[in-house]
């Protein structure tokens, strides 16, 4: 069998490759939360605290897009997976693979953008590696970052409980539709901007405001993929109220034009969380104070059962399913 | 200006790109040894111990070669950079970038080889990421690993002191000449095998046996590059005794045939260290007990001054210079 594009698109087909091949390691756990959990990061006990450890590679096209660039996404992507475990981002590594002939001016711009994002994250880039491949062996540049964070009490993606409330930290679908419309050269009157941003401060204020039972960043495969993973791993049903889902008008128009569901595409500065009902208002209020949380909303609730159900505006119901894979290739 | 192949070959030209572009981060240190040191890894104080953190990407061709494969090298490369800081390897991340159409059977073999190497290292692979690129956008597969280790007292690459003795843990040039002869299809009677191996146990026994002042793994740019970096960063001269340098006959023959200096090519299971003269014999003895240290030798000494000098067998002297870049493309 051969690897196909959907194997790298973060959806159901990818899960299959993961389960059958990529997670066959017997040496998969360093004492805490390991690869077996398939969470946003791993956790390793260290003294009386825990190290969080995660990685993402970035191959987004174009390299620069409205609202961000491959450098910003490389820093935020990894810092956000640390944050999803409740971990404060501390240090990042950077492995660059560059095509012969790549412009050093562009490389400098990418480094400057990474540095700016690092400052915002409060993390440092402390180690790296560079490989240059012959012309044609890699398309431009690929950037891997790994990250280390610190957490006292890790947050998982599988802790949803019946009675919990689902919160999303802002509008859905911005990054994926930004990449798609930029690539296609669409003019929608209003420019759709990527939401790529570090969410640690937002997550921290939410953790300080109440009890978070489960958390995930809706990246490849979008909100649909993240919420399905959370529901399935937690062994619960999630019911989403369609009317409360924050989606920009421009994103909605673009998604209709392109035939792409905004719930299925990557976000790069958002969080989906399940919180105890008692704390929901306090947590929402804390999130809304953050500059990346202004459009946060309570969008659903957790019940006994399985699957993710959309309660539509006209009183109907339908399943929200994890997409086969993110519909936007090279989205991050 | 454009990136060229030598920019990724770990030698003098790469150092230039590093200094001018890749290490311009202002956010470059998380409290201990950061990017500014350009050592094999970074060190971050944590409680009463230290975390070591490092990364390498791997793009070696062919994927499988005598003595190893891209999986084994991906695990050992990162585990060895941790070891060079005195750090016990604990956990690794794995970021794979795969070309559409890549054979899943081969992927399975790579994963199995990584797992075997992890077992030997005593480390676990705890987190990962997978991107699949359209056909032609990446040549086959590239594997990034980052690693976390633990150390009480870090070892640097810049601690050589006049009077120190230089030890190498085994034969020089095996990996680079293995890749080159395999690629060219040379038949030298005897097959040259890569030395790719994890050196943590060897390093630990050396640290237990005496005082190590500086340590580096002679990977891209080989022994020449590593020893020059150590000498320059330490502000000392190093004098190497040519007769004592362990080089296999097959490697010597191949290097003459190909016009490649075996001192300039990558090794993947070796250590170069500077140790206090009083402890040299004890450390050498400890290293020789390890299965990867049988050919270890004392090969030189440290004096006041600068540069690296080869004292030749016939009583002459010449400089050992850092190569412009490793002469073998895609060696690791
Ligand atoms: N090549 C791989 N080797 C080992 N584990 C992997 C690999 N690829 C992915 N994983 C693991 O699979 C799980 C899902 O990975 P995925 O990359 O989809 O998560 P994510 O980083 O949260 O999402 P995204 O990459 O879209 O930001 C994670 O637990 C990750 O550690
Ligand atoms: N893209 C990068 N960004 C930041 N730092 C980098 C980058 N590439 C290399 N470095 C830093 O430059 C120094 C030299 O890197 P290099 O990869 O040559 O070291 P190494 O891993 O010990 O050698 P090798 O890669 O041949 O095994 C290291 O300190 C590394 O952290
Ligand atoms: Mg995630
Ligand atoms: Mg991620
Ligand atoms: Mg390196
Ligand atoms: Mg090294
Ligand atoms: Mg290395
Ligand atoms: Mg990922």
């Amino acid at each position: 069998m051969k690897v196909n594009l959907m194997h790298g698109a973060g959806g159901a087909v990818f899960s299959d490759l993961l389960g059958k091949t990529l997670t066959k390691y017997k040496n998969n756990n360093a004492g805490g939360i390991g690869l077996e959990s398939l969470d946003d990061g791993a956790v390793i006990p260290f003294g009386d605290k825990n190290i969080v450890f995660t990685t993402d590679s970035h191959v987004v096209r174009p390299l620069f897009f409205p609202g961000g660039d491959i450098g910003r996404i490389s820093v935020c992507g990894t810092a956000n997976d640390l944050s999803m475990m409740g971990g404060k981002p501390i240090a990042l590594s950077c492995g660059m693979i560059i095509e012969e002939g790549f412009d050093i001016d562009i490389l400098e711009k990418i480094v400057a953008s990474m540095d700016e994002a690092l400052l915002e994250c409060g993390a440092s880039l402390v180690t790296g590696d560079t490989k240059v491949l012959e012309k044609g062996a890699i398309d431009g540049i690929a950037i891997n970052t790994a990250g280390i964070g610190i957490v006292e009490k890790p947050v998982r993606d599988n802790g949803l409980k019946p009675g919990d409330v689902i919160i999303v930290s802002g509008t859905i679908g911005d990054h994926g539709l930004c990449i798609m419309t930029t690539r296609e050269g669409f003019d929608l009157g209003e420019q759709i901007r990527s939401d790529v941003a570090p969410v640690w401060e937002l997550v921290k204020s939410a953790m300080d405001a109440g009890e978070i039972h489960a958390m995930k960043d809706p990246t490849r495969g979008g909100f649909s993929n993240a919420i399905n993973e959370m529901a399935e791993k937690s062994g619960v049903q999630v019911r989403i109220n369609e009317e409360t889902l924050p989606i920009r008008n421009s994103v909605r128009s673009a998604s209709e034009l392109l035939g792409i569901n905004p719930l299925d595409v990557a976000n790069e500065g958002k969080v989906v969380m399940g919180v105890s009902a008692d704390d929901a208002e306090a947590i929402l209020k804390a999130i809304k104070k953050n500059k990346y949380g202004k459009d946060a909303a309570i969008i659903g609730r957790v019940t006994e059962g399985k699957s993710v159900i959309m309660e539509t505006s006209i009183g109907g119901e339908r399943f929200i399913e994890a997409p086969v894979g993110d519909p936007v290739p090279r989205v991050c």
Side-chain angles (χ1 to χ4, degrees), chain A:
Chain A
M1 229 181 94
K2 309 279 185 191
V3 175
N4 67 54
L5 285 179
M6 280 299 141
H7 280 128
V13 173
F14 169 54
S15 298
D16 192 54
L17 180 69
L18 261 188
K20 288 203 181 122
T21 308
L22 293 176
T23 53
K24 284 292 186 197
Y25 298 91
K26 289 190 207 83
N27 304 282
N28 67 353
N29 185 301
I33 302 171
L35 194 57
E36 75 291 341
S37 301
L38 298 179
D39 209 328
D40 299 290
V43 174
I44 304 165
F46 200 104
D48 56 347
K49 296 217 172 128
N50 297 283
I51 302 173
V52 188
F53 187 30
T54 194
T55 191
D56 264 331
S57 300
H58 298 89
V59 294
V60 62
R61 286 300 174 279
L63 295 176
F64 298 82
F65 45 81
D69 58 79
I70 192 172
R72 182 165 173 85
I73 229 179
S74 294
V75 169
C76 296
T78 288
N80 288 351
D81 274 324
L82 295 175
S83 306
M84 291 310 104
M85 304 305 292
K88 176 181 160 55
I90 300 291
L92 262 64
S93 67
C94 170
M96 287 185 171
I97 304 179
I98 309 175
E99 184 179 18
E100 182 185 5
F102 194 80
D103 210 313
I104 293 185
D105 290 346
I106 298 179
L107 198 56
E108 275 169 6
K109 280 194 194 123
I110 293 170
V111 166
S113 172
M114 291 178 74
D115 206 16
E116 208 182 297
L118 285 163
L119 184 67
E120 208 187 329
C121 290
S124 299
L125 198 145
V126 296
T127 187
D129 181 68
T130 308
K131 296 286 179 297
V132 178
L133 300 192
E134 66 278 13
K135 196 138 192 99
I138 172 101
D139 171 22
I141 189 168
I143 304 180
N144 174 283
T145 52
I148 295 180
I150 297 181
V151 65
E152 258 171 80
K153 208 170 148 280
V155 181
R156 309 287 297 259
D157 60 5
N158 66 356
L160 295 180
K161 296 189 187 115
D164 281 358
V165 163
I166 304 291
I167 294 176
V168 65
S169 67
T171 54
I172 291 172
D174 300 28
H175 179 71
L177 270 309
C178 162
I179 292 298
M180 208 58 191
T181 49
T182 304
R183 226 184 258 163
E184 305 278 329
F186 275 20
D187 183 2
L188 293 150
E190 184 196 331
Q191 181 70 269
I192 300 179
R193 293 174 67 81
S194 168
D195 61 343
V196 53
V199 296
W200 167 246
E201 292 295 340
L202 182 156
V203 165
K204 182 168 186 323
S205 66
M207 292 197 301
D208 288 345
E211 207 181 313
I212 299 176
H213 291 158
M215 195 155 53
K216 208 163 188 69
D217 55 340
T219 50
R220 286 179 295 167
F223 174 77
S224 306
N225 197 52
I227 195 70
N228 270 284
E229 261 189 71
M230 293 169 83
E232 199 180 315
K233 283 179 166 178
S234 307
V236 297
Q237 178 169 102
V238 171
R239 304 186 68 87
I240 301 295
N241 178 342
E242 190 170 32
E243 276 189 344
T244 58
L245 271 180
I247 300 179
R248 287 182 204 285
N249 286 334
S250 55
V251 167
R252 211 182 282 280
S253 313
S255 72
E256 276 161 19
L257 262 168
L258 290 160
I260 289 176
N261 185 345
L263 302 190
D264 290 355
V265 302
N267 308 272
E268 294 291 341
K270 296 290 151 54
V271 192
V272 179
M273 49 177 88
V275 308
S276 82
D278 291 344
D279 296 344
E281 284 302 336
I283 290 175
L284 182 66
K285 203 174 142 196
I287 292 176
K288 276 176 164 289
K289 276 196 195 141
N290 186 280
K291 72 170 170 176
Y292 299 124
K294 293 202 189 327
D295 300 314
I298 291 178
I299 58 166
R301 61 195 199 283
V302 181
T303 63
E304 310 262 355
K306 56 176 189 171
S307 309
V308 181
I309 312 285
M310 179 81 96
E311 301 175 343
T312 67
S313 341
I314 51 166
E317 280 189 5
R318 65 166 192 271
F319 287 110
I320 298 180
E321 276 170 306
V324 175
D326 194 297
V328 185
R330 299 187 67 172
V331 74
C332 64

